[in-house]
Amino acid sequence: MSTTPPPQALTSDAHPGRGERTAEDGAFGWLRALGPRGRRAFAGAFGGYALDSYDYFTLPLSMVALAAYFGLDSGQTGLFTTVTLVVSAVGGAAAGVFADRVGRVRALMITVVTYAVFTVACGFAPNYETLLVFRALQGLGFGGEWAVGAILVAEYASARHRGRTLGAIQSSWAVGWALAAIVYTLVFSFVGDDLAWRVMFWTGALPALLVVWVRRRVHDAPQAVAVREQSPRRGSFAAIFRPGTADAPGLLRITVFAGLLSTGVQGGYYTLATWIPTYLKTERGLSVVGTGGYLTFLISGAFLGYLTGGYLTDRLGRRRNIWLFAVLSAACVLAYANIPGGANTLLLVLGFPLGFCMSAIFSGFGSYLSELYPTAVRGTGQGFTYNTGRAVGAVFPTLVGFLADSWGVGGALVFGAAGYALAALALFGLPETRGKELA
């Protein structure tokens, strides 16, 4: 086992005195502070999450074609998303435990291979039921990748820059989303709908290339390996549900409120991510190319939101950043869903702040959840709370699907605003962790 000190041990998190500058200053100080091994970990986690996003969005973008091919109603198509997210809770919790017991990098590779294999399998599905099963199994890998990758990078990052470092990792979701939108526009422009949705899923094989590189170049943070191997409670579900005593604080309260926070944020997010493409095509009457154009504004806002939110989570603190963008996201959802018919220019413009706010709220998640749990159970705690929130939040897209028949997709989208309200309330039960060293 390597005894090389972690990058954060080589620099001070304290602000330099007398106007001195250190390697951690400047626009890319957070990246330099990671060191060579940390930057390779960052690249692996960034690529894994981008391709995770790409594989996820192959379904929402193909939803209209799928519904026509298999003769599905809105409730059945909404069930695709719910099944994926519910099963992802199992995969995410399992990946978190695995990451605590055998290492972050090994767990990362397993999750990437899993979601890639079953995304490709979806393209061969002969009927609705088979596609539903393959999509559920894809969720096993989809659920674990983010938590494992975020922890891997968090354990390399300095406390001073951890928020923006993990915010940059979150921004890769927008990169994968943009790539999926580009491929969707090309595939559906040149291939008939009955085959195009299959082609979209087959392109989900791309992540396999990343795994080859990660296996050779990426390693766990040395100090995290040392702490993890010395702990008898590593990867223990019992530990994250242990109530506090007079002598020692427990993690039960953290786990409950972190789960509620994750439920609210992801319920709102996945409602929008799942149904906006359908809303643009069916209720706003946009073509494939037109839908891609509107999504460009939404995705551009999302990318900048991730980066800005990462910066603000270091400046304002974890709780204030999440609270601010929970309120703004709810306001944007209500405005977007109530734009009058014919005002498509306003719809285009509002897509940018909507994407910005609903993504900026995620930027603090990687650092916040990592800081709430000790190293020995960091994977277990983060994997469980993030993915339990994802599973419970998965009910939101299905409810929108069933409500869409009577309310319309636009009207049902406002249900996502309730998720952001829940997130804001959950923050009252959680501490602020800005500046906390991971040990």
Side-chain angles (χ1 to χ4, degrees):
M1 182 179 71
S2 172
T3 57
T4 303
Q8 59 265 43
L10 303 178
T11 59
S12 172
D13 287 329
H15 294 282
R18 295 193 300 270
E20 296 176 1
R21 290 177 62 84
T22 71
E24 291 195 23
D25 290 321
F28 293 98
W30 60 270
L31 188 59
R32 290 191 294 270
L34 288 171
R37 291 180 61 159
R39 286 193 289 271
R40 289 197 296 271
F42 177 89
F46 188 98
Y49 197 47
L51 293 170
D52 195 10
S53 169
Y54 178 89
D55 279 12
Y56 173 79
F57 279 106
T58 54
L59 176 65
L61 290 168
S62 304
M63 196 87 85
V64 174
L66 276 172
Y69 186 86
F70 290 118
L72 309 178
D73 59 30
S74 296
Q76 289 174 307
T77 53
L79 189 59
F80 278 125
T81 298
T82 298
V83 166
T84 303
L85 299 182
V86 168
V87 175
S88 76
V90 177
V97 172
F98 195 65
D100 283 337
R101 294 185 178 180
V102 303
R104 316 318 193 193
V105 174
R106 288 183 184 178
L108 179 67
M109 290 190 294
I110 289 172
T111 60
V112 172
V113 169
T114 301
Y115 73 65
V117 167
F118 287 108
T119 298
V120 173
C122 287
F124 294 98
N127 52 51
Y128 169 71
E129 291 76 17
T130 303
L131 181 58
L132 195 63
V133 170
F134 285 155
R135 187 64 179 180
L137 293 173
Q138 186 257 9
L140 289 174
F142 170 70
E145 196 286 332
W146 179 84
V148 175
I151 294 167
L152 172 66
V153 176
E155 290 174 342
Y156 274 106
S158 66
R160 177 181 172 189
H161 294 308
R162 190 173 296 119
R164 69 198 72 180
T165 303
L166 273 295
I169 292 291
Q170 290 281 175
S171 74
S172 67
W173 182 266
V175 173
W177 189 3
L179 179 60
I182 291 169
V183 173
Y184 158 79
T185 302
L186 293 173
V187 170
F188 276 81
S189 294
F190 295 102
V191 181
D193 283 9
D194 286 353
L195 178 61
W197 67 268
R198 294 187 185 275
V199 175
M200 283 292 294
F201 284 120
W202 292 336
T203 61
L206 290 171
L209 300 176
L210 175 71
V211 172
V212 176
W213 181 82
V214 168
R215 185 173 182 273
R216 299 184 62 179
R217 303 287 292 167
V218 181
H219 306 280
D220 288 7
Q223 95 284 2
V225 174
V227 172
R228 188 172 65 244
E229 290 182 347
Q230 294 169 6
S231 175
R233 287 183 171 271
R234 58 180 178 168
S236 168
F237 279 118
I240 67 171
F241 285 102
R242 190 172 64 249
T245 64
D247 299 323
L251 293 171
L252 176 61
R253 179 187 178 90
I254 294 293
T255 298
V256 170
F257 282 98
L260 289 174
L261 174 66
S262 183
T263 296
V265 171
Q266 296 192 84
Y269 180 86
Y270 284 110
T271 295
L272 299 173
T274 301
W275 286 104
I276 280 181
T278 299
Y279 171 65
L280 292 175
K281 290 188 71 174
T282 60
E283 295 198 12
R284 309 303 301 204
L286 300 181
S287 65
V288 168
V289 175
T291 297
Y294 277 68
L295 288 176
T296 298
F297 270 73
L298 189 69
I299 295 168
S300 298
F303 180 75
L304 292 177
Y306 285 127
L307 296 179
T308 303
Y311 173 77
L312 290 177
T313 199
D314 281 334
R315 293 299 299 270
L316 302 177
R318 309 333 187 196
R319 295 173 75 250
R320 287 182 180 177
N321 181 72
I322 293 172
W323 186 90
L324 171 65
F325 286 107
V327 173
L328 292 177
S329 295
C332 285
V333 171
L334 294 174
Y336 195 81
N338 287 284
I339 293 174
N344 282 355
T345 300
L346 181 58
L347 187 76
L348 179 71
V349 173
L350 190 57
F352 187 90
L354 175 65
F356 184 95
C357 293
M358 69 189 237
S359 298
I361 193 172
F362 268 109
S363 294
F365 260 54
S367 53
Y368 196 29
L369 294 181
S370 293
E371 291 161 354
L372 287 172
Y373 289 95
T375 298
V377 292
R378 184 167 295 127
T380 305
Q382 186 157 337
F384 178 83
T385 55
Y386 186 82
N387 288 287
T388 296
R390 180 182 272 169
V392 179
V395 174
F396 287 51
T398 298
L399 288 175
V400 170
F402 285 110
L403 291 172
D405 291 332
S406 56
W407 292 12
V409 176
L413 281 177
V414 301
F415 190 73
Y420 293 115
L422 175 62
L425 292 174
L427 289 170
F428 287 104
L430 294 170
E432 177 57 57
T433 60
R434 180 176 56 169
K436 181 178 180 180
E437 295 288 351
L438 298 186

